[in-house]
Amino acid sequence: MEPSSRLERIQLNKATISFDDRFTLSEIDWIIEPHQHWVITGTNGSGKSALAAALAGVGKIEAGTVQGLPQNVGLVSFEAQAELIAKELKKDDADIMDVISLGTPVSEMIFEQCQDPELASELVEKFGLSKLLDRAFRKLSTGETRKVMLIRALASKPDLLILDEPFDGLDVDTLAMLQAHLASIIDTVPMVLVLNRFDEMPDFITHVAYLDKDRSDKERLEKKRGDKKRGDSGRLAFTVERQDEAAFNELYQLLHLKTTDLSLPEADPANKLPALDPSQPLVKLTQATIQYGDTVIVDKLDWTIEQGQHWQLSGPNGSGKTCVLSLITGDHPQCYTNDIFVFGFQRGNGESIWQIKQFIGYVSTALQWEYRVSTSCKNVIISGFYDSIGMYSKSTDHQKKIADQWLELLGMQERADQPFNKLSYGDQRLLLIARAMVKHPPLLILDEPCLGLDDMNRQLVLALIEKICAGKETTVLYVNHHTEDKIKEIDNHLALEKNH
């Protein structure tokens, strides 16, 4: 793909674009005119992120043509964010000369190749990153990392701004500020946004592109015969102009379909967990404090979670939500310096971390980044019985049956043997949620479980959480930023505030 020096018309004509052996966009016909602002949406695995990346020159053109791609593209995506974090983590391998890398500071990440330092400084202040400029980029929270990515893109003076799920992981105040800034630049910068949440579509969007999985007759035949095929494929099903009210409403209705008559697969009786004392709380934190040097993240937190008492945990980026969760799971080094009671154990009295983790189902963005092993979708769900990343034990026939039931519930039964690392971000999240739920654990921790999911799958996840909350087996600890994702069964709320 050869980019042009300035944005005029971008045109894809019968373009088939491949992305290694992972995914293919099939016969895309699409025109982006100057001053249009687009949203790309669609089902999980349909190629939304791939189409956005193609506008940045990523991918190989197998057929058709792509013309008019701009020279300077500002791109923010989960994939780009993960790549930056991976590069930073590789610096840990620099111990050949016994040198410990401190990581790239935030100031360098933002200003080193900045085209508009004045705007960058203004956004640093608005995003609340001024006190973090000297901190290592890899030490930031997920939301703070996303803010750095956004500042880099916005201050690059792009000819085209491509934002893949720009609002996910941001607290309410930051989200409103970003939406206002984007609205202020619509006359100077064309934008393409990838959004799973149709209700987050900004008012300035003029067009919507809807993608779907490519299910051609040839592909169905190949799947039926069991033929090997390179990755999945997606197609541009249709485009809608915002002013076409009838067509726009039809698309909105499509993306808000809800799954009805849900039924959760039963737990495996052979994997029955030890009984807990019903008179004891599941979790009790007493004056819990998390501190790095002189910086206090969490200050003297008292929190008790009783059995059957569902909680929502919220707070701005950097308020310590993930730190508090890691105290409960035993993954934070300061859990042994705090007064923590979990599942009948007083931490620090000789219990093992696996004695704690057996009672917990857990889903988070960090877990998804860690789950990089090459295993099948079915094995990812089964691994929940063993609290492992990957499969290292032989599964039983009953466990396989339960995994099949979860795959059917998620509409992924035909992908049971597909490699997990070849799936889209949203499909990976769905499988990890099933993995967390498979044991019907006493405590289910869901850290932004809807992050990266389209509306249909988001509604499915929310319905599943409601089913679990309505039952008596599992207590839910639910972390989210979106008020519209509130679970009706959750009546308790802990809101953290920034202490630094």
Side-chain angles (χ1 to χ4, degrees), residues 116-250:
D116 192 339
E118 183 176 347
L119 175 60
S121 297
E122 177 186 337
L123 292 174
V124 165
E125 184 68 28
K126 286 185 175 180
F127 276 116
L129 298 181
S130 299
K131 296 181 179 180
L132 302 180
L133 290 177
D134 294 331
R135 185 176 297 183
F137 175 73
R138 63 185 179 187
K139 298 295 185 181
L140 300 182
S141 69
T142 302
E144 290 165 344
T145 304
R146 173 52 62 99
K147 291 176 183 179
V148 172
M149 297 282 294
L150 286 165
I151 294 172
R152 282 162 55 101
L154 292 168
S156 68
K157 292 187 176 180
D159 298 318
L160 175 66
L161 185 61
I162 302 174
L163 303 179
D164 191 342
E165 291 297 341
F167 308 132
D168 268 354
L170 298 181
D171 54 67
V172 174
D173 291 339
T174 304
L175 188 149
M177 185 277 294
L178 175 59
Q179 288 179 326
H181 180 79
L182 294 179
S184 72
I185 62 174
I186 59 174
D187 292 332
T188 56
V189 183
M191 283 177 263
V192 175
L193 277 59
V194 177
L195 293 179
N196 286 314
R197 296 173 177 274
F198 213 62
D199 52 5
E200 284 186 345
M201 185 182 301
D203 292 338
F204 61 78
I205 293 299
T206 60
H207 293 75
V208 180
Y210 178 81
L211 277 79
D212 200 356
K213 294 179 181 179
D214 187 12
R215 292 289 183 260
S216 63
D217 292 338
K218 178 182 179 182
E219 182 180 355
R220 292 192 188 97
L221 180 60
E222 288 172 337
K223 285 184 176 294
K224 184 176 181 180
R225 294 186 314 194
D227 292 352
K228 298 291 183 180
K229 189 175 188 293
R230 184 176 67 178
D232 282 340
S233 60
R235 63 186 179 88
L236 181 58
F238 50 82
T239 60
V240 172
E241 188 173 355
R242 186 75 173 262
Q243 293 180 343
D244 186 343
E245 186 175 347
F248 186 81
N249 288 338
E250 286 179 2

Side-chain angles (χ1 to χ4, degrees), residues 288-329:
T289 299
I290 300 174
Q291 184 170 352
Y292 301 101
D294 295 330
T295 303
V296 177
I297 306 298
V298 178
D299 188 22
K300 298 179 181 179
L301 173 65
D302 290 317
W303 189 21
T304 301
I305 302 175
E306 302 287 353
Q307 296 186 40
Q309 187 184 67
H310 308 301
W311 282 82
Q312 178 177 336
L313 176 62
S314 66
N317 301 130
S319 60
K321 299 186 298 295
T322 300
C323 290
V324 171
L325 296 181
S326 61
L327 284 182
I328 296 173
T329 61

Side-chain angles (χ1 to χ4, degrees), residues 80-91 137 372:
Q81 186 173 345
E83 285 178 12
L84 270 182
I85 293 173
K87 288 180 181 178
E88 288 296 298
L89 293 177
K90 282 184 179 179
K91 294 180 180 180
F137 175 73
R372 293 176 291 184

Side-chain angles (χ1 to χ4, degrees), residues 43-88:
T43 57
N44 285 337
S46 60
K48 302 184 294 293
S49 294
L51 183 57
L55 296 178
V58 179
K60 179 182 179 182
I61 300 176
E62 304 285 358
T65 59
V66 178
Q67 299 174 322
L69 296 188
Q71 181 71 41
N72 183 16
V73 175
L75 172 65
V76 176
S77 68
F78 285 108
E79 289 76 13
Q81 186 173 345
E83 285 178 12
L84 270 182
I85 293 173
K87 288 180 181 178
E88 288 296 298

